[in-house]
Structure formats: structure tokens, C-alpha cells
Amino acid sequence: MVETTGKPFLMYVEDVFRLQQGRVVSLAGRIERGSVRKGNEVEIVGAGSGRVTACVVAIDQGHARIDEASAGMNVRVLLRGVAAEAVARGQVLATPGSIRSHAAFTAEIVLLSEEQGSADVVCGDRLHFYIGAAAVWGTVTLHGVDTVRPLHGATVTVSLEELVALEEGRSFAFRHHHRAAGSGTVTQLLC
């Protein structure tokens, strides 16, 4: 695969369209890194995907068909030979083998202020995590403290309820009690 940035292609799937009675699947999103060309093989990674690979049959940007797309572009990537049910918002489209799905990770988190909606987080709290285009519930285990208060940070282990395509250094946001609560960065992938 040709890559203009020197990094493997990665695009978070923000929307899924089924075309031609489901024979073609169109995945919309913003390319985070790398580039993709018509004819490249790509992998769908994330909850329920089970490492599905497919060939890019076309790339659309706006109302124009293009041969190549790169980091920063909002595009629709058309794939043939993929079951429409195998693709969902929150998964990623990537260079085969460049990223894997995980259900647990260690992270550094920081809570927002009380005025911004944050509240204390304690060990065992169930938070709603936003990672790329994925939204998934997870439970936190705190390291070295019993409670994290607004405007403070901590090291935590997160156990997600679904698999999510993850890599170290990925930033995320989370909600607690249905309100914005804070953000964090993945420091270590566990499984």
C-alpha cells in the first residue's frame, strides 16, 4: 500500500451505507493517517468484525470519484465482498495487520471541573468511553488512589464491554452520570 505519511492507513468508520442491494458497502469517515488507493486491500477492525479484509473498489470525496485519499480527508470508501452486517460505526478501516481490537487497557485520565459537569470517579465506576467514532461502556479500576476528584488525574485500568480498535497513545473522552467527565490517553494495551 502506498502511504504518503509513512504510517499505515487508518480511518474511523463514522457511517455505513449499503449500495446495490448490499453488494457494495460504503464506509464514510475521516482518514486519520496514511493513504489508501483504489485496489488496495484493507482490514475492518473493531467490535464484531473478526478481522475482515476487503478490496477498495472506489473512493468518493464529496460528489467526485478519486483514485487516492490521504490523512485529513473526509471520504467514502466503497468495498465489495463484505457483508453489510459485518460493518458498523466505531470500527476502523486500516492497513491489514496494523491495528488490533482490545477490551482492556491502562490509561492516564484527567477529570474536568465540577462546573464543566465532572464528578468524583471511584474504583468500579461504569463510564461511557468515546474512542475515535466508537462509543462503548467500560469499568475503571484506579491505581494508587480510592477516588479521583474533578480537576485531578490518575492512572486507571479500563475494562471495556466490547472490543475496540486501539493503539497506545490514542486519546479518548468519557462521560459519567450522563455528563462529560474527562479525557485520557491509552498508555498500555492489555488484551
Side-chain angles (χ1 to χ4, degrees):
M1 176 174 295
V2 177
E3 275 136 25
T4 59
T5 63
K7 293 185 177 181
F9 166 69
L10 177 73
M11 180 184 96
Y12 283 93
V13 177
E14 296 172 6
D15 214 342
V16 179
F17 303 93
R18 284 120 177 110
L19 310 171
Q20 300 175 6
Q21 289 82 36
R23 290 190 304 271
V24 175
V25 177
S26 174
L27 308 179
R30 181 177 180 277
I31 299 175
E32 294 291 315
R33 67 172 186 234
S35 64
V36 63
R37 293 185 57 83
K38 179 180 174 181
N40 284 156
E41 183 177 340
V42 293
E43 184 175 29
I44 301 163
V45 182
S49 65
R51 300 187 72 89
V52 175
T53 58
C55 183
V56 175
V57 295
I59 304 168
D60 292 336
Q61 184 183 30
H63 297 290
R65 182 96 358 135
I66 57 177
D67 290 330
E68 182 175 7
S70 57
M73 296 173 72
N74 291 308
V75 296
R76 286 175 51 169
V77 177
L78 284 72
L79 305 175
R80 187 178 305 275
V82 176
E85 304 77 38
V87 187
R89 176 182 170 87
Q91 293 174 328
V92 300
L93 199 57
T95 299
S98 64
I99 189 168
R100 290 186 24 221
S101 296
H102 298 271
F105 60 91
T106 302
E108 295 293 329
I109 63 166
V110 176
L111 299 183
L112 298 171
S113 69
E114 288 182 69
E115 293 79 22
Q116 294 171 310
S118 190
D120 290 356
V121 172
V122 298
C123 197
D125 272 349
R126 188 170 178 251
L127 307 176
H128 204 195
F129 290 88
Y130 297 87
I131 305 165
V136 60
W137 288 98
T139 304
V140 295
T141 302
L142 304 177
H143 296 239
V145 295
D146 296 327
T147 304
V148 183
R149 304 207 183 284
L151 289 178
H152 289 87
T155 301
V156 299
T157 297
V158 177
S159 297
L160 299 173
E161 294 178 10
E162 294 179 44
L163 290 171
V164 174
L166 278 175
E167 46 194 359
E168 291 178 1
R170 167 55 61 192
S171 60
F172 59 88
F174 56 92
R175 295 176 70 84
H176 187 37
H177 301 301
H178 306 288
R179 296 166 62 173
S183 61
T185 303
V186 176
T187 56
Q188 183 181 4
L189 301 169
L190 301 176
C191 60

